[in-house]
Amino acid sequence: MMTEGTFSAESTPSKPAPEQSWIKVWDPLVRIGHWLLLIAIATALITRGEPESLHQGAGYVVAGYVVFRLFWGIAGPEHARFENFIALPKATLGYLGGLLNGKAKRHLGHSPPGGLMVIALLLAMSATAATGMAMENKVPVPTIVQTLVPIELEAEEEDSPWEEIHEAAANLVLGLVFLHIGGVIAASIGHKENLVRAMVNGKKRAP
């Protein structure tokens, strides 16, 4: 015989699990620019001068993105602004240490290392685009650049003295891209969220 309490306990339906809430983090311009930049960098690295027009076109896309991102880092929405993600080295090291022991603080926008990567990529891409334009327009190498960076000025006529710096900057961009991919994978695993998907639909899990 069931008591009233037993009947009540058995007949009470279980509460449904709460639905996961999402927050819009990355605006459309950041997302479109991110993937367009990826295509442009891949095109520039694959074509490395052949065909020259395609290589230069990709370079101008990279240069255009840098100009846009500098503007958007000041005038864009919250998570796109530099003030939202530029952090001190101590915060970056603390986050990396936390990621290793599973205690890293989750950030809705860029994490401290992610913010540092944005700045590093912008600087490397600026150097790559600027030296590429200098090569294209046969700009003389300033004395201060010759002092800071050893450049072979007695190159063959068809070569540009900017070429060494351009190639070094391009290789730096490639290295940073691989480092960025590794960081995205590590953070996705550490915080149990798909950061690639977030850069597609703009949404991240609410805190």
Side-chain angles (χ1 to χ4, degrees), residues 1 27 34 43 53 57 66-67 92-93 97 111 146 182 184 194 205:
M1 180 178 180
D27 65 273
H34 178 275
T43 301
S53 58
V66 170
V67 174
T92 300
L93 294 175
S111 65
Q146 297 179 39
V184 168
N194 191 331
R205 188 178 73 245

Side-chain angles (χ1 to χ4, degrees), residues 59-60 62-64 127-139 162 166:
Y60 277 107
V62 172
T128 307
T131 52
M133 292 178 187
M135 290 170 59
E136 180 184 357
N137 295 287
K138 297 181 172 56
V139 176
W162 288 105
H166 183 68

Side-chain angles (χ1 to χ4, degrees), residues 33-34 36-42 44-45 58-70 82 117-133 165-166 168-177 180:
H34 178 275
L36 185 62
L37 178 65
L38 176 63
I39 295 171
I41 290 177
L45 290 171
Y60 277 107
V61 171
V62 172
Y65 174 84
V66 170
V67 174
F68 156 74
R69 194 63 184 88
L70 291 175
F82 295 130
M117 179 58 69
V118 170
I119 302 302
L121 277 168
L122 286 175
L123 290 173
M125 289 187 300
S126 297
T128 307
T131 52
M133 292 178 187
I165 301 178
H166 183 68
N171 289 332
L172 176 59
V173 170
L174 180 59
L176 289 173
V177 167
H180 172 56

Side-chain angles (χ1 to χ4, degrees), residues 5-15:
T6 304
F7 177 83
S8 176
E10 290 181 353
S11 61
T12 301
S14 59
K15 293 182 179 180

Side-chain angles (χ1 to χ4, degrees), residues 19-54:
E19 292 185 8
Q20 179 67 63
S21 57
W22 300 86
I23 295 178
K24 199 78 170 180
V25 175
W26 305 121
D27 65 273
L29 291 182
V30 165
R31 302 194 321 265
I32 294 171
H34 178 275
W35 298 113
L36 185 62
L37 178 65
L38 176 63
I39 295 171
I41 290 177
T43 301
L45 290 171
I46 292 171
T47 57
R48 290 214 177 217
E50 292 295 337
E52 187 174 349
S53 58
L54 185 58

Side-chain angles (χ1 to χ4, degrees), residues 7 14 17 22 24 42 69 87 89-90 102 111-112 125-126 144 147-148 174 178 181 186 188 190 192 199 201:
F7 177 83
S14 59
W22 300 86
K24 199 78 170 180
R69 194 63 184 88
K90 182 178 180 181
S111 65
M125 289 187 300
S126 297
I144 187 171
T147 303
L148 296 174
L174 180 59
F178 280 117
I181 293 172
S188 294
K192 296 179 175 61
M199 192 51 73
N201 61 23

